[in-house]
Amino acid sequence: MHLTTLARHALSRGRTPADTYALLARRTRKPLPSARAVCLALTIPHAETTRRLNDCYDALLADPRPDSETDTGELLEALGVFDIPKSLTDTELTIVDHLLTAVDAHGSLRPGHHHGLTRWFTTGNLTTAYLSLTTTHPLPRTGNPTRYWTTLTTAGELLTTTRHSTTRHSDTRIKYALTHCRTQTTKHQKSTGPTSYSSPPEASVR
């Protein structure tokens, strides 16, 4: 039976992608084809599958330790190799743009947080991505706090006007986070003052 068919069957029986990888890798002793089969069974496009596996091939798939199939599968899943991409609407793409602008304005976001955001953008989990940024404070020296909170305010407003949030609980969390962003925006605007104002030249004295 074709590996992708085997992977699809295992997934349909309730196995996680990590478990499915481990099952195939133990059976075939071929890590790369096993990982590729899981990705394709999850309907991840071939080009995206190739890119993801190339990124982690040397570290995880080139020379795996004996009996490490379960650990490798869990690492592949944790790295987002098996994340199913979501097709985003124009509004959702705009929200992602705002969140990326906020990341730039932060000053020094942790690598782990960067990785989490990338996964949430891929899977379309924009509510979680937004909320994670609203609980993180930008660095005043290397970042731009005013731009950070202003951009997150705009992103939050877009989230509240779309049907992206499917539960009342997530809607409530966004509203609280949006209120926090607006408060922070006002606070930093007051502390920095107008940023685009330039005083007129002084009149010459004759």
Side-chain angles (χ1 to χ4, degrees):
M1 188 180 293
H2 194 276
L3 274 183
T4 303
T5 303
L6 282 173
R8 192 175 294 115
H9 176 71
L11 291 167
S12 70
R13 298 293 297 270
R15 287 183 179 268
T16 66
D19 289 339
T20 301
Y21 165 82
L23 174 70
L24 298 182
R26 276 193 294 268
R27 178 177 297 188
T28 65
R29 303 298 179 187
K30 296 179 179 179
L32 180 60
S34 297
R36 181 182 293 113
V38 176
C39 289
L40 296 178
L42 291 167
T43 69
I44 298 171
H46 191 276
E48 177 66 11
T49 292
T50 300
R51 184 192 67 78
R52 294 183 187 186
L53 295 179
N54 284 343
D55 287 345
C56 67
Y57 176 76
D58 290 338
L60 294 177
L61 301 174
D63 188 23
R65 294 178 290 104
D67 301 320
S68 63
E69 294 87 0
T70 297
D71 291 341
T72 300
E74 290 174 354
L75 283 170
L76 289 170
E77 193 161 52
L79 288 171
V81 172
F82 301 139
D83 286 350
I84 302 175
K86 179 181 182 296
S87 180
L88 302 181
T89 66
D90 289 342
T91 300
E92 288 172 331
L93 289 172
T94 301
I95 292 170
V96 170
D97 286 341
H98 285 305
L99 297 182
L100 289 173
T101 299
V103 169
D104 289 339
H106 180 274
S108 183
L109 204 65
R110 292 180 295 103
H113 198 167
H114 262 293
H115 175 66
L117 288 168
T118 300
R119 294 191 65 186
W120 293 323
F121 294 157
T122 298
T123 57
N125 196 351
L126 304 189
T127 295
T128 300
Y130 172 74
L131 293 174
S132 77
L133 288 172
T134 62
T135 59
T136 304
H137 286 265
L139 302 182
R141 291 187 177 181
T142 58
N144 186 329
T146 300
R147 186 183 184 199
Y148 183 82
W149 293 115
T150 300
T151 306
L152 287 182
T153 297
T154 303
E157 289 169 347
L158 284 172
L159 277 171
T160 59
T161 57
T162 66
R163 295 189 180 275
H164 180 75
S165 302
T166 57
T167 66
R168 182 176 300 177
H169 179 58
S170 61
D171 285 341
T172 301
R173 289 186 299 160
I174 292 173
K175 289 177 181 178
Y176 277 121
L178 179 55
T179 299
H180 173 65
C181 291
R182 286 170 174 161
T183 300
Q184 291 296 320
T185 297
T186 301
K187 173 185 173 181
H188 286 284
Q189 285 177 338
K190 287 181 178 179
S191 64
T192 58
T195 57
S196 60
Y197 174 81
S198 60
S199 58
E202 294 181 0
S204 59
V205 179
R206 294 182 182 274

